[in-house]
Amino acid sequence: MITTLTLGFAMLSPAHAAKCDAYLRKAETAQSQELVKAFNDLATCEKETAERNFTRFMTRATDSEVLTQLSLAAIENDIWTPVWSMPGKIKSYEARDIIAGGIGGACTENEKVVTFLQGAYAGLKDIDFQQWDDALLACESPELMTWMTGKIEDPPDRPFDAKFNTLMTVYTKKKGADALGSLQKGAIDAAQSGGPYNTILQQMNAAVTPTLGDI
């Protein structure tokens, strides 16, 4: 009988398939950093199989740190889709935020994280992208900030866009009053194109409103 595992490696040579299969089976037994290594080895051996089985490895992760490292291993191997959907599979909202923040915080050491976050803006639905706001906040990459600035200054041509609003909220939190210049450019563009003019004005107000810690 042809099993799912066998079918997954059907196009590989017998020796290579056996090697990849060994890495995949560690999803049932490996723990901590061994789990991360096994996934990385599998992704190197057979990327598509690793992508299909990311959730199997994810369920073996015992804490936020391991899951963060597992996600970074996937991103390093250009496996995005299962990582994008990962927060929705985690029950604890606190854990979601910790993991997203850990992934975003790694962007200065791994430029692929920046590409991953940019791709999330293009590829995810509104609520799914919102779950990555902590990653955007934690990422201190100048490249990401330049990209965000470009998006803020060229808003979508519709009155409300939830993903743009999430991005704008993060941008304002990161830059404070320094966000006003780009927000003003975005507001002018939105006024002319039928874009989210009112929400941009709200963020301009937020940018100059002191938080409780500043009062």
Side-chain angles (χ1 to χ4, degrees):
M1 181 175 66
I2 299 177
T3 65
T4 302
L5 295 181
T6 303
L7 185 60
F9 300 120
M11 302 302 294
L12 305 179
S13 68
H16 191 62
K19 184 178 181 180
C20 297
D21 181 67
Y23 297 141
L24 179 55
R25 291 188 185 280
K26 288 185 179 181
E28 310 300 332
T29 59
Q31 297 180 353
S32 192
Q33 292 304 310
E34 290 183 359
L35 185 71
V36 177
K37 183 179 184 304
F39 180 82
N40 190 64
D41 289 340
L42 177 60
T44 302
C45 191
E46 223 304 291
K47 177 183 171 181
E48 291 183 1
T49 301
E51 184 164 7
R52 287 196 302 270
N53 288 277
F54 177 81
T55 301
R56 291 180 63 184
F57 283 84
M58 173 187 162
T59 56
R60 288 288 300 174
T62 56
D63 56 53
S64 298
E65 176 61 25
V66 173
L67 193 45
T68 299
Q69 294 302 315
L70 182 64
S71 300
L72 289 171
I75 293 169
E76 178 63 28
N77 285 281
D78 300 317
I79 295 173
W80 295 2
T81 302
V83 184
W84 282 342
S85 62
M86 175 190 60
K89 295 182 173 69
I90 301 172
K91 293 182 179 180
S92 168
Y93 287 95
E94 181 180 2
R96 292 182 188 184
D97 293 344
I98 290 172
I99 294 165
I103 293 171
C107 75
T108 53
E109 300 174 1
N110 186 345
E111 61 183 19
K112 286 190 175 183
V113 173
V114 173
T115 307
F116 169 82
L117 294 174
Q118 292 170 339
Y121 185 70
L124 292 180
K125 295 181 179 179
D126 297 341
I127 188 64
D128 296 321
F129 178 71
Q130 186 177 10
Q131 293 177 335
W132 288 98
D133 59 349
D134 283 281
L136 293 165
L137 280 167
C139 179
E140 297 296 334
S141 165
E143 180 184 350
L144 182 73
M145 185 57 69
T146 298
W147 172 80
M148 290 179 68
T149 298
K151 293 296 183 184
I152 298 305
E153 295 180 358
D154 184 23
D157 56 356
R158 46 189 173 275
F160 182 78
D161 185 290
K163 285 197 293 186
F164 177 77
N165 198 41
T166 295
L167 194 72
M168 187 168 49
T169 300
V170 170
Y171 188 78
T172 302
K173 286 181 178 179
K174 289 171 76 73
K175 297 202 68 172
D178 290 338
L180 284 174
S182 293
L183 288 170
Q184 184 178 32
K185 290 180 181 179
I188 293 171
D189 184 284
Q192 297 172 343
S193 66
Y197 179 75
N198 289 333
T199 53
I200 295 176
L201 290 185
Q202 291 171 7
Q203 285 300 323
M204 292 177 70
N205 182 61
V208 296
T209 301
T211 62
L212 290 176
D214 297 328
I215 296 175

